[in-house]
Amino acid sequence: MDVVLIPGFWLDASSWAQVTPVLEEAGHTVHPLTLPGLESKDANRSEIGFADHVSAVVAAIDALPGAVALVGHSGGGSIASGAADARPDRVAHVIYVDSGPISEGGAINDGLTAVDGEVPLPDWSEFDESDLAGLTDELRDEFRARAIPEPARVTSDRAHLTDERRYRVPSTVISCTMPQQVFDQLIEQGHPYVAEFARMERRRMVELPTGHWPQFSRPQELGAAIVAALADAP
């Protein structure tokens, strides 16, 4: 299957470099994306918003001949769900890596601090220790060296979703920082964090215990989890 890989905040296509071989060995054709404004640290991203990132993923879907699977990490999961809303007849599966689908009117993370129209990677002290699990000092240094500021509007724009056929698209969450028991409890409680995922007609959650960036801390295991999800849609 054609698999479109959507990076989370501050990352480009190269962030999937250690994951893609696992998918390719399983026979998939992999398309890692660099979203608008993330081309370089010097790119002009002041006017780029959530809809622009969704449009970039939709363009990738339209350029492929058949059914497509989307894999979105972190904020990229929200972008993936926006693309599934735009092309529910083309998306065969959405896999959310430590993330989930965005709801109508929601923003990915409007609590991040913007500076001149962009959001730099925050200091590590601003993240929970659970997010940083598995990131050695070396990996943290590599991550920070490669990090590109995120367009501020991507973090704070409100999502506008229009096609309820998105709820029929099979969806899998690969959870790295939240145990399944907690995840299930949130669904039972109707918590807004999981409200959109709870509406999916075919959904599954699997655990991959590590921090929020498994493509760095456990890349081979993440690749295997994606391959397994694609082989066994919910």
Side-chain angles (χ1 to χ4, degrees):
M1 181 177 289
D2 285 300
V3 182
V4 175
L5 301 175
I6 307 166
F9 288 176
W10 310 297
L11 296 171
D12 63 8
S14 68
S15 62
W16 296 102
Q18 295 186 70
V19 179
T20 56
V22 182
L23 277 64
E24 290 170 342
E25 288 170 8
H28 299 293
T29 303
V30 185
H31 309 272
L33 300 185
T34 293
L35 296 172
L38 280 296
E39 300 89 350
S40 74
K41 294 183 179 181
D42 297 327
N44 180 0
R45 52 194 136 255
S46 59
E47 298 301 320
I48 294 171
F50 177 85
D52 298 301
H53 279 196
V54 171
S55 293
V57 177
V58 170
I61 295 170
D62 290 347
L64 295 168
V68 175
L70 304 179
V71 180
H73 166 252
S74 190
S78 295
I79 305 301
S81 63
D85 175 75
R87 294 290 187 273
D89 55 333
R90 294 290 315 285
V91 178
H93 197 151
V94 183
I95 298 175
Y96 299 95
V97 179
D98 216 41
S99 63
I102 199 167
S103 300
E104 163 62 25
I108 300 178
N109 188 345
D110 55 6
L112 293 169
T113 301
V115 180
D116 296 329
E118 61 186 32
V119 177
L121 176 65
D123 187 82
W124 298 125
S125 63
E126 297 188 33
F127 294 98
D128 292 336
E129 281 303 314
S130 61
D131 291 329
L132 301 175
L135 283 186
T136 63
D137 289 343
E138 181 180 3
L139 287 173
R140 293 186 195 191
D141 289 344
E142 291 177 2
F143 184 178
R144 189 162 295 279
R146 75 193 300 164
I148 301 167
E150 189 72 21
R153 285 185 46 204
V154 173
T155 73
S156 59
D157 281 357
R158 302 293 159 175
H160 296 294
L161 308 176
T162 61
D163 197 328
E164 293 202 350
R165 288 182 296 168
R166 67 183 181 275
Y167 296 122
R168 302 175 193 163
V169 178
S171 300
T172 299
V173 166
I174 298 175
S175 182
C176 303
T177 57
M178 182 182 294
Q180 173 132 24
Q181 182 179 5
V182 175
F183 195 87
D184 291 343
Q185 287 174 349
L186 291 179
I187 289 179
E188 291 174 7
Q189 295 165 4
H191 195 285
Y193 177 73
V194 295
E196 187 76 359
F197 185 69
R199 297 185 67 181
M200 299 297 170
E201 295 177 10
R202 299 170 63 190
R203 65 179 191 266
R204 173 178 296 141
M205 183 269 205
V206 296
E207 292 184 52
L208 177 62
T210 185
H212 186 59
W213 288 277
Q215 65 271 60
F216 301 143
S217 60
R218 296 183 67 184
Q220 286 74 38
E221 293 91 338
L222 174 59
I226 293 170
V227 168
L230 293 171
D232 189 19

